[in-house]
Amino acid sequence: MSTNGQQRASIRPGLLVDIVLKKDQASGQTTRGVVKDILTNSANHPHGIKVRLQSGDVGRVKTIVAGNE
């Protein structure tokens, strides 16, 4: 399963995602990690839902890699 991270409803703690950190927005480089907290309150966001990973990194979700089913 690979989907974009613009819908808040499709993101939940425990998901493996690729995010773009603030410092990497120009290059578009992604960082992979597991969602700890969802920081965006709106239902969707054109640049991706902002999350905090378990590693502490904060960025916007580019793709959802896998769920924890």
Side-chain angles (χ1 to χ4, degrees):
M1 178 179 108
S2 180
T3 182
N4 72 14
Q6 296 179 349
Q7 301 296 320
R8 191 178 194 278
S10 62
I11 298 171
R12 63 188 187 281
L15 285 180
L16 182 64
V17 296
D18 287 333
I19 67 167
V20 176
L21 302 174
K22 184 78 170 173
K23 67 182 178 68
D24 295 330
Q25 282 179 345
S27 67
Q29 178 183 342
T30 60
T31 302
R32 184 163 288 186
V34 177
V35 176
K36 181 179 178 187
D37 302 309
I38 301 172
L39 304 178
T40 299
N41 289 324
S42 59
N44 51 45
H45 192 286
H47 300 299
I49 300 299
K50 189 178 279 187
V51 297
R52 178 181 294 114
L53 301 181
Q54 288 179 346
S55 64
D57 291 327
V58 173
R60 294 197 181 275
V61 177
K62 270 290 183 236
T63 53
I64 298 170
V65 180
N68 58 352
E69 291 85 35

